[in-house]
Amino acid sequence: MKIIILLFTLMLSANLCLSQIIDVHLHSYTDDIYYGGVPHPAGNIPSPPNAEAHLERTIKLMDSLHIDYAVISNSIKANEIWMEADDRFIPGYAANTEMIPIDEFDELIKNGKIKVFGEIGAVYEGITLANPIYKPYLDVCNKYGIPVMYHTGPPDPGSKNKAKRVFKGDPALIEDIIATYPDLRVCLQHAGASFWENAVLLMAYYPNVYADLGVLLWVSPLTQEMAVDFLKSCKKYGVLSKVMFGSDQMVWPDAIKISINYFNSLDFLTEKEKRMILYENASKFLGLNDE
Ligand SMILES: [Zn+2]
């Protein structure tokens, strides 16, 4: 009997350790936009040969890692394929400067095909979210309560776009947007990266500002250090309730697992704080409980 009780207790505690997760930063692909097949130099992370294998691997990892929901973004078509394959995906409309007409945007929101505006990669075009081209889209998001996810920090150095600018990635540059739309939930993706101090300040000052850990947890030792500094500062400022887990797996799905493992290894965060970041904060940001 004692052994049975012991086994039962062990099973129960093992279950409690397997916390549920929301990954707010994934990317969906179709073959025409897929650029995988080559391992990522950070730890030789494998990349599936095509978009279908990539989707399969992502779903498998979501099953084994207990990921309940994931926000995906890229083309509308890629999102459609992914949503057909698995109902845990939440569609985000990715945009740089080329966007669908505003009426179509409004319609897709009404049809549930857009639930998040982003990832918005304005920095790749050398502009910020404060540029007037985004205003009509932000107005629509504000009208329907659609959260906005905005790339902060420098653009990917590998991008060949000559328009990209490092300092346009500073979240301080979008303060006017944050202040103009106090009810619009805005996520500073990648937590500002090199500009993480400004991300923390905006989160502490404005109730509508959140951040995700984006690519920081896996892409290099330098970004991992930024994640640690950012999280410690969030703890000091009392804003851990606005930090969300995201992996930004791109064409390397196993980065999701690496990110979770790295995050769980951070011993300055309590189990409760980890649960908030891995699940509860995102649930609030995405309005999952309102549905
Ligand atoms: Zn991303």
Side-chain angles (χ1 to χ4, degrees):
M1 186 65 187
K2 257 189 188 159
I3 291 172
I4 292 171
I5 292 170
L6 186 70
L7 271 176
F8 184 71
T9 317
L10 276 176
M11 275 163 62
L12 202 69
S13 54
N15 243 334
L16 289 175
C17 291
L18 296 171
S19 55
Q20 304 300 109
I21 294 172
I22 299 174
D23 187 332
V24 299
H25 197 147
L26 287 187
H27 291 290
S28 53
Y29 295 92
T30 45
D31 272 327
D32 55 326
I33 53 171
Y34 190 67
Y35 57 95
V38 180
H40 192 280
N44 216 16
I45 308 168
S47 177
N50 54 50
E52 199 187 336
H54 172 272
L55 170 60
E56 241 169 62
R57 179 70 188 147
T58 304
I59 291 175
K60 209 169 169 207
L61 283 162
M62 284 173 68
D63 290 341
S64 65
L65 298 166
H66 303 269
I67 297 178
D68 280 3
Y69 300 100
V71 177
I72 51 171
S73 72
N74 245 336
S75 67
I76 303 265
K77 182 79 208 146
N79 281 354
E80 271 173 7
I81 293 170
W82 279 47
M83 284 160 72
E84 245 164 62
D86 198 299
D87 58 12
R88 287 173 290 179
F89 294 124
I90 297 169
Y93 174 61
N96 285 359
T97 45
E98 301 256 306
M99 286 174 283
I100 51 173
I102 193 70
D103 295 347
E104 197 180 331
F105 183 70
D106 194 297
E107 206 49 44
L108 288 168
I109 288 176
K110 280 195 274 191
N111 296 340
K113 293 199 169 175
I114 295 177
K115 293 195 170 171
V116 169
F117 181 29
E119 180 169 13
I120 303 164
V123 70
Y124 285 89
E125 303 295 337
I127 61 167
T128 76
L129 193 63
N131 190 289
I133 62 161
Y134 296 111
K135 184 164 187 310
Y137 298 86
L138 295 175
D139 286 340
V140 169
C141 290
N142 199 35
K143 179 170 81 176
Y144 294 115
I146 294 292
V148 173
M149 303 195 74
Y150 175 65
H151 178 108
T152 58
D156 180 347
S159 155
K160 297 210 169 32
N161 192 343
K162 281 190 177 158
K164 69 179 193 273
R165 290 292 181 276
V166 169
F167 288 94
K168 295 289 183 191
D170 186 344
L173 300 178
I174 67 157
E175 184 180 7
D176 282 350
I177 295 297
I178 291 162
T180 312
Y181 296 93
D183 297 323
L184 186 72
R185 279 161 287 161
V186 178
C187 169
L188 307 173
Q189 294 181 291
H190 311 288
S194 333
F195 310 107
W196 63 265
E197 284 178 292
N198 287 345
V200 178
L201 190 54
L202 289 169
M203 290 161 77
Y205 198 87
Y206 294 101
N208 54 330
V209 180
Y210 290 66
D212 81 24
L213 294 165
V215 85
L216 301 186
L217 296 170
W218 67 271
V219 90
S220 77
L222 179 65
T223 62
Q224 287 176 329
E225 200 181 308
M226 283 174 198
V228 168
D229 290 342
F230 167 75
L231 286 164
K232 283 184 175 168
S233 183
C234 284
K235 191 163 171 149
K236 237 185 278 173
Y237 277 79
V239 292
L240 282 177
S241 59
K242 302 166 100 188
V243 180
M244 302 183 283
F245 170 74
S247 62
D248 195 7
Q249 98 289 27
M250 295 178 275
V251 296
W252 303 277
D254 286 73
I256 305 171
K257 194 177 180 173
I258 296 167
S259 298
I260 293 172
N261 287 344
Y262 183 75
F263 178 76
N264 279 329
S265 76
L266 303 175
D267 54 11
F268 60 89
L269 295 172
T270 65
E271 285 308 310
K272 187 178 181 299
E273 288 164 345
K274 283 180 182 166
R275 250 197 329 273
M276 279 160 52
I277 293 166
L278 286 172
Y279 193 95
E280 290 160 19
N281 300 342
S283 173
K284 198 169 58 176
F285 177 79
L286 297 168
L288 296 180
N289 297 333
D290 314 340
E291 282 176 2

